[in-house]
Amino acid sequence: MERRPPDNPRQAWEEKKRAASAPSSRPKPSEVCKVEPLQAGSFRSALALPREEENTVDIIRTFLRRRPKQQSQKLQFLASICTICNTISVDSTMWDMLYFCRVEVVETIKVLLQEEPPYHLDTEVRQQAMLAITSMSQAGLLLQEKSKSLLQTCFCSVFHLLPQDTQGPTAFLYSKTLAAMDSMLQTLVRSAGTLGVLELQKILQLLLSFTNSQPAAVQERAMARIARLANFITTYPLLQVCPCFAQATIGHQCSKTHRFAMLGRLVGHLTLCCTSKDKGTCHEAAEALYHLHTFVLQQRSRWPWLHDSGQLQLQEVWEMKQPWQLSQNSNARKIFLMFMKYLQPSDQADIMLMAIKSFRDPSIYSISVAAHMVNVLVADPAFQPGQVLKIVWAIYRTLPSIRMVVALNSLDRALLVLMGKYPSKVVASLLQCSPTCTLVAMAMWKTMLSEPQAAKKVLQELLSLLMNQSLRKTSTFTKDNPRILSLAASMTTGKILLQPTCLQQVEAIFPQLFLALLFQVSFTTELTLQEVHIFWKEHQQDLLTPIRSAVQSMRMLLCSMGFESQVLAIEAQGGWDTLLSVQTHLMGVRIVATEMMKTPRPLRSTIFCHLAELLSVEDPTWEMIAMVFLIEMLGCTDLGEELDRALEIFPIYLQSQCLGMPSLVLRGILRLTERPDMAKKTLVLLPHVMEQLEDEDSDASAMALPVLSNMLQLLEGKKLSLTALTLAGKLQPLFNNESGTVRELSIRLFQTTMGLVVRAEKKMMKKEVWDSVLPLLFHLHDQDKSVAKASQEALCSAGRFLKWRQLAQLTEIAQAWRISECLLARNRSKVKDYLCQSEPYLRSPQEPLQREAVRFIGLIGRQVDTRDMMAHIRDILQGAKKDASPVVSSLATQTDFILLRKVEVWV
């Protein structure tokens, strides 16, 4: 679209008017300038103006500059605006003059209307002001951004007048003023061109605000304007409305400029107004609905694909004319049903909200009609998720104000229907309305729990929210955050359990609900202070924190299902209190699991299988809790085939990065290896368990070693021999582990493997045993006495395995120094290997092991006969010379000095 030259706005306006009369085509100056009061000589044409037009311009300029208060001058100013707007068709200079000061002119008109007496009609200022607005709109001089506030001022100035007599001096003026307003509104719609639908809806929206909670006279006047405007659109063929306006389409998208978005609000409000106690308002509302229905039929006749014949539509108009003229409640119901087939889901949602809100004050509209509207709308709902949320919010906010049974019954039915069709959205919406489950929210929950099918869906959705961990790591600033919804679901579940109507449904999902609440307790221990504040801000005075609320819900669930003895037993062991702390939480889970093992076998079996099913998919938010519970349940001796499912999931969690998870799983495997009915089945996990020896997690290694010891006892023949050989190679790195338990267990298990290999594996095992001698020799000096003893016994076994009698004899009498000398004398070719084995012990946290490593390296140095090897040995000792331990550093220094003297002798 080409831009209008800034020096000729009138020409641009005329060109656009010929093309289309649209607000978007109205002239705008290419440069925004500040509006100043008109000065003498401003906006003069090169041609001389007629005298009358010159006077008109002077009047406007003078009025804008001085703002006089005399009524005659006000009327003269408004009349001058009309005169200029009427003459601009022949004189572009006038248009230019008014264009550049139109903002100031509009603001001045608003001021004049506001200065009029608020309740009395004594002058023609109101009428003339609206005529001036009409003229400016026709001339394309009314700013869209100013029109809304201008209309609001007009409506306030006229609608709040005191009731007028039908006879008398002001009756004619009152009639002319209202006629001027009707003409102004119609002109605004015409002047909007292709944006006429938007302009119409803006006007109707403003008018509707005056028909609600206002004096009767105000309501009637506003409703009359709506009726006149509705009549006008039936005679204005240029209004371009999308076909979806006249048919109940779902998911349709159309241009905003052609969408009659407020049809639902309009129909709903007018229908309710048909039941108004004020007869005038009632009559005007019925008249407006009649014209609106006619408009709908007219629009349908424009689109042949709707399969309506024009004759049938005309017949429907005439046949239905009589009900519009009546205002009884029964006819209001009929009128509403006539519109239902033309309403989109969004329109129906708007009406639903309006009808629900009308329940608050039975003195304004008929509650029975509003209830009927709600019942009709929920008969076959097709609402969007956002609309369901708004409806639930409306019910929640309105419910405390309702006293009439017909309204309460209507909302009860609506809740049950919505729950049946949109269970997840209804539950989530009500939790957002009241995270802490207020009395109002509890009344709504009771309604939904009153029918078995609805109760089942409520519990299933609450369970889903409790278990919905995947979305919890999101923003925590709104109530719709899944973390907050999960908290709300926990507290609500606890209160719902007190209702006897849903116990049967609770029993059906008890295992899942019990575990979900247990996981919720765990999740609640991780809450941030901000999340606690969001959830609990309405109940900060209560001592019941979110985590205590979750624990209480668990207790109530167990009691409602008849497990009071378990509740008391857990309490006696301090289980409920330990659940409340992050540090002791897992201990509390174990206590709960132990007591739940005393429940009937079918329930235990179901709980175990559900745990295994949950653990089949990794979820870091609750997998630790589930695994702790499952491991404890492995102690149930009457669980048989169910335990096979644990064997399927254990390999997944042996590779878990979660701190403590591998060792926890290994504890469970250890339990199974001790059960005669499951021991051999655990051998499928042998490769996975052996992999844990390569992990840096000492706890996992400490648990893996006894598991492997048990598994070796389950193997036979060739497989046993091969496994022992493979295991021996993985055990030696653990001899120097930081954990004394790991060192001892790994050394003892290595000793065991020496006696399990046969034939070919025995020959291969000799290398592993020779490689173990030096580390075992060092650990004879381990500060942990049990490790030192295990090393001594393993060395004795190594001597017997290698048929080295001297090693066994020297070990028995603890002659470590002699063993070192014999080792070097027996295997001089392995000096480099011994140096590699010794070097890590120089960095050992145990001083005795460091000393032994320094001594052994010095012993090697005394026996080498090459400069390169001696230099390498001395380099190794340099670090030990700087050790923090004075004993180690001194010994290393002395050893290096001795080796240096040997080098000097060579020279």
Side-chain angles (χ1 to χ4, degrees):
M1 184 181 294
E2 296 182 358
R3 292 174 62 90
R4 173 181 52 76
D7 57 344
N8 194 358
R10 170 61 184 171
Q11 179 182 351
W13 176 76
E14 288 180 339
E15 291 174 355
K16 293 180 185 289
K17 185 176 180 182
R18 285 193 296 270
S21 177
S24 58
S25 302
R26 290 178 184 173
K28 297 180 179 179
S30 59
E31 297 181 2
V32 179
C33 59
K34 183 178 179 180
V35 177
E36 300 289 347
L38 295 177
Q39 305 296 326
S42 298
F43 308 105
R44 288 280 184 174
S45 172
L47 299 175
L49 291 173
R51 184 65 185 171
E52 181 182 353
E53 295 179 1
E54 287 182 346
N55 290 340
T56 302
V57 172
D58 290 338
I59 290 170
I60 294 176
R61 285 204 304 262
T62 302
F63 196 90
L64 290 177
R65 185 171 62 252
R66 297 180 180 176
R67 300 288 176 90
K69 302 297 184 180
Q70 291 82 0
Q71 176 187 340
S72 59
Q73 291 175 307
K74 294 179 181 180
L75 293 174
Q76 193 177 36
F77 166 72
L78 295 170
S80 298
I81 296 173
C82 295
T83 300
I84 288 183
C85 290
N86 291 333
T87 58
I88 58 177
S89 59
V90 296
D91 192 337
S92 62
T93 305
M94 292 292 181
W95 191 93
D96 290 345
M97 183 279 295
L98 199 54
Y99 179 89
F100 286 103
C101 66
R102 54 184 176 162
V103 174
E104 191 173 3
V105 170
V106 168
E107 292 299 325
T108 302
I109 294 175
K110 286 175 59 177
V111 171
L112 294 181
L113 288 169
Q114 292 167 351
E115 289 176 348
E116 286 295 289
Y119 305 114
H120 301 285
L121 182 64
D122 300 326
T123 70
E124 296 181 1
V125 171
R126 290 181 174 88
Q127 175 194 355
Q128 290 300 321
M130 289 183 284
L131 290 176
I133 296 169
T134 302
S135 298
M136 290 184 70
S137 178
Q138 289 174 329
L141 292 169
L142 194 62
L143 287 169
Q144 282 295 309
E145 55 268 27
K146 295 289 184 179
S147 63
K148 185 174 181 179
S149 62
L150 190 57
L151 283 176
Q152 183 74 17
T153 304
C154 289
F155 294 155
C156 289
S157 179
V158 175
F159 292 163
H160 288 282
L161 292 171
L162 293 175
Q164 303 294 312
D165 295 331
T166 55
Q167 304 293 329
T170 61
F172 181 65
L173 177 59
Y174 175 69
S175 177
K176 288 173 61 179
T177 301
L178 291 179
M181 178 176 285
D182 291 333
S183 175
M184 174 188 69
L185 299 179
Q186 295 171 19
T187 301
L188 288 172
V189 175
R190 286 195 188 95
S191 302
T194 56
L195 301 180
V197 175
L198 289 177
E199 185 68 21
L200 173 65
Q201 292 181 98
K202 179 179 71 177
I203 296 171
L204 290 172
Q205 186 65 45
L206 286 172
L207 288 170
L208 282 178
S209 66
F210 287 90
T211 63
N212 192 22
S213 301
Q214 299 279 1
V218 175
Q219 292 186 41
E220 181 181 351
R221 288 165 183 158
M223 191 59 70
R225 308 287 72 73
I226 295 174
R228 305 301 175 271
L229 205 54
N231 185 30
F232 160 71
I233 61 176
T234 64
T235 62
Y236 182 55
L238 299 182
L239 205 61
Q240 300 180 22
V241 183
C242 179
C244 70
F245 160 71
Q247 56 181 328
T249 55
I250 300 176
H252 174 72
Q253 296 292 330
C254 59
S255 171
K256 182 180 179 181
T257 57
H258 297 157
R259 188 186 311 139
F260 202 96
M262 67 172 299
L263 176 64
R265 280 171 286 167
L266 192 59
V267 169
H269 197 81
L270 293 177
T271 303
L272 290 172
C273 286
C274 283
T275 67
S276 173
K277 305 299 187 291
D278 180 71
K279 292 184 178 180
T281 301
C282 183
H283 171 77
E284 296 293 354
E287 188 71 19
L289 280 171
Y290 166 69
H291 293 307
L292 186 60
H293 187 263
T294 302
F295 177 68
V296 169
L297 295 180
Q298 288 175 345
Q299 294 299 314
R300 288 179 67 84
S301 68
R302 295 173 59 184
W303 301 297
W305 61 85
L306 295 180
H307 307 295
D308 283 339
S309 76
Q311 185 61 37
L312 287 175
Q313 293 176 23
L314 291 175
Q315 181 180 355
E316 185 178 2
V317 171
W318 288 109
E319 287 179 353
M320 296 300 172
K321 185 172 182 179
Q322 184 64 24
W324 308 108
Q325 298 172 346
L326 302 176
S327 57
Q328 289 82 1
N329 292 347
S330 60
N331 289 312
R333 293 187 180 95
K334 293 178 182 178
I335 292 171
F336 179 66
L337 290 175
M338 290 173 61
F339 275 100
M340 269 299 295
K341 57 185 174 182
Y342 304 130
L343 298 175
Q344 293 191 57
S346 59
D347 297 324
Q348 296 179 24
D350 289 338
I351 297 175
M352 183 87 168
L353 293 172
M354 194 171 298
I356 292 172
K357 292 175 183 177
S358 71
F359 290 154
R360 297 176 182 174
D361 191 351
S363 65
I364 300 177
Y365 306 119
S366 168
I367 297 300
S368 62
V369 170
H372 172 75
M373 294 167 67
V374 171
N375 293 338
V376 171
L377 289 166
V378 298
D380 185 23
F383 301 128
Q384 296 299 313
Q387 295 165 348
V388 174
L389 173 61
K390 290 180 180 178
I391 292 171
V392 174
W393 265 109
I395 295 174
Y396 178 77
R397 289 167 176 157
T398 305
L399 199 57
S401 306
I402 300 177
R403 296 294 180 269
M404 297 186 67
V405 175
V406 64
L408 291 172
N409 291 341
S410 177
L411 292 185
D412 288 350
R413 183 173 183 271
L415 274 175
L416 287 169
V417 172
L418 292 174
M419 187 63 215
K421 191 162 186 178
Y422 313 100
S424 61
K425 199 60 192 176
V426 171
V427 170
S429 298
L430 187 48
L431 291 176
Q432 290 182 50
C433 294
S434 177
T436 53
C437 196
T438 60
L439 291 175
V440 176
M442 195 62 229
M444 295 172 68
W445 289 117
K446 286 180 180 179
T447 297
M448 292 185 287
L449 295 170
S450 62
E451 292 188 2
Q453 281 301 111
K456 181 179 179 181
K457 290 184 177 181
V458 167
L459 291 169
Q460 286 288 354
E461 292 302 326
L462 289 172
L463 174 61
S464 176
L465 286 169
L466 288 169
M467 292 297 296
N468 186 15
Q469 310 291 326
S470 60
L471 297 177
R472 281 182 173 164
K473 300 175 181 65
T474 56
S475 170
T476 59
F477 291 98
T478 56
K479 286 184 178 180
D480 62 347
N481 180 278
R483 292 172 70 96
I484 307 302
L485 287 181
S486 184
L487 278 176
S490 174
M491 185 171 190
T492 298
T493 300
K495 293 190 176 182
I496 284 177
L497 293 172
L498 297 174
Q499 307 304 313
T501 56
C502 65
L503 290 183
Q504 185 176 355
Q505 288 73 26
V506 171
E507 185 176 1
I509 61 169
F510 169 75
Q512 295 90 334
L513 190 57
F514 167 74
L515 291 174
L517 287 172
L518 181 62
F519 299 155
Q520 181 66 28
V521 173
S522 174
F523 152 66
T524 308
T525 63
E526 304 170 3
L527 285 177
T528 65
L529 291 176
Q530 185 181 38
E531 289 167 333
V532 172
H533 174 70
I534 291 172
F535 177 68
W536 224 251
K537 61 182 180 180
E538 297 176 4
H539 296 268
Q540 290 180 352
Q541 73 279 7
D542 293 344
L543 297 177
L544 197 64
T545 60
I547 187 171
R548 290 187 181 275
S549 172
V551 170
Q552 182 175 340
S553 295
M554 270 191 68
R555 298 180 62 159
M556 293 175 66
L557 174 63
L558 291 173
C559 290
S560 66
M561 292 293 102
F563 298 121
E564 292 89 347
S565 59
Q566 277 74 19
V567 172
L568 294 175
I570 294 170
E571 185 170 3
Q573 299 174 63
W576 299 121
D577 291 333
T578 55
L579 281 174
L580 300 176
S581 171
V582 177
Q583 290 74 21
T584 61
H585 181 70
L586 292 181
M587 185 187 303
V589 173
R590 290 190 180 97
I591 294 173
V592 173
T594 302
E595 291 306 318
M596 291 303 292
M597 290 167 59
K598 301 173 184 176
T599 57
R601 185 193 181 285
L603 177 58
R604 282 184 283 114
S605 175
T606 304
I607 291 176
F608 187 90
C609 291
H610 186 58
L611 282 168
E613 182 181 351
L614 290 172
L615 288 167
S616 64
V617 179
E618 293 182 87
D619 191 324
T621 52
W622 45 255
E623 63 187 17
M624 179 60 79
I625 309 303
M627 186 61 73
V628 168
F629 205 101
L630 183 138
I631 297 302
E632 290 301 314
M633 293 196 73
L634 294 178
C636 295
T637 56
D638 54 356
L639 291 180
E641 295 180 356
E642 297 92 341
L643 301 180
D644 294 341
R645 302 190 64 176
L647 298 178
E648 297 172 3
I649 62 174
F650 280 165
I652 302 173
Y653 291 94
L654 283 174
Q655 301 174 11
S656 173
Q657 299 300 311
C658 177
L659 182 64
M661 179 63 78
S663 58
L664 177 62
V665 174
L666 288 166
R667 184 179 294 113
I669 298 173
L670 180 62
R671 282 193 173 189
L672 294 180
T673 61
E674 295 169 349
R675 290 184 53 155
D677 59 331
M678 290 296 297
K680 284 206 170 185
K681 292 182 179 180
T682 62
L683 291 177
V684 297
L685 302 175
L686 178 59
H688 302 286
V689 177
M690 290 180 68
E691 288 178 3
Q692 296 301 307
L693 300 180
E694 302 171 5
D695 198 286
E696 295 181 359
D697 184 358
S698 297
D699 291 339
S701 298
M703 287 305 308
L705 290 167
V707 171
L708 291 168
S709 181
N710 286 356
M711 286 182 169
L712 286 177
Q713 299 176 34
L714 302 171
L715 296 171
E716 299 175 351
K718 183 75 171 178
K719 190 170 184 180
L720 172 60
S721 182
L722 288 170
T723 302
L725 176 63
T726 304
L727 183 57
K730 293 180 180 292
L731 290 172
Q732 288 186 38
L734 299 178
F735 291 177
N736 197 30
N737 192 276
E738 61 182 9
S739 168
T741 301
V742 173
R743 295 198 301 274
E744 179 187 359
L745 292 176
S746 60
I747 291 171
R748 292 196 179 281
L749 186 56
F750 182 82
Q751 180 184 1
T752 301
T753 60
M754 286 188 281
L756 299 177
V757 290
V758 295
R759 299 187 179 89
E761 289 79 35
K762 191 168 186 177
K763 292 181 180 180
M764 290 184 281
M765 186 68 166
K766 285 184 178 181
K767 180 182 182 304
E768 301 295 340
V769 176
W770 275 115
D771 290 343
S772 71
V773 172
L774 184 57
L776 291 173
L777 178 60
F778 288 154
H779 283 287
L780 289 175
H781 303 275
D782 199 296
Q783 291 176 332
D784 190 324
K785 299 304 180 183
S786 60
V787 176
K789 182 174 178 58
S791 299
Q792 185 179 21
E793 294 174 1
L795 268 177
C796 289
S797 297
R800 289 190 290 270
F801 183 87
L802 297 171
K803 298 180 180 180
W804 184 9
R805 185 179 300 175
Q806 188 180 19
L807 173 62
Q809 292 173 346
L810 291 174
T811 302
E812 288 178 357
I813 61 176
Q815 293 291 318
W817 183 250
R818 292 282 307 280
I819 295 172
S820 299
E821 292 177 336
C822 294
L823 182 63
L824 287 174
R826 191 178 181 94
N827 293 291
R828 290 182 179 276
S829 61
K830 297 190 66 176
V831 167
K832 289 184 179 180
D833 294 336
Y834 292 148
L835 277 174
C836 290
Q837 285 184 303
S838 302
E839 192 171 356
Y841 284 90
L842 292 175
R843 299 183 293 274
S844 172
Q846 297 189 57
E847 184 182 293
L849 299 186
Q850 288 180 290
R851 293 199 310 266
E852 292 307 310
V854 171
R855 287 180 180 134
F856 188 80
I857 292 172
L859 185 61
I860 294 174
R862 293 189 188 97
Q863 298 184 17
V864 298
D865 52 8
T866 65
R867 292 178 180 273
D868 291 342
M869 178 60 74
M870 182 65 74
H872 178 58
I873 293 173
R874 292 188 64 203
D875 286 341
I876 292 175
L877 290 172
Q878 295 308 306
K881 289 167 66 176
K882 301 176 184 179
D883 193 85
S885 169
V887 176
V888 174
S889 61
S890 176
L891 181 61
T893 301
Q894 293 174 13
T895 303
D896 183 55
F897 179 76
I898 293 170
L899 297 179
L900 177 61
R901 293 297 298 272
K902 183 176 181 178
V903 172
E904 291 174 349
V905 171
W906 288 346
V907 174

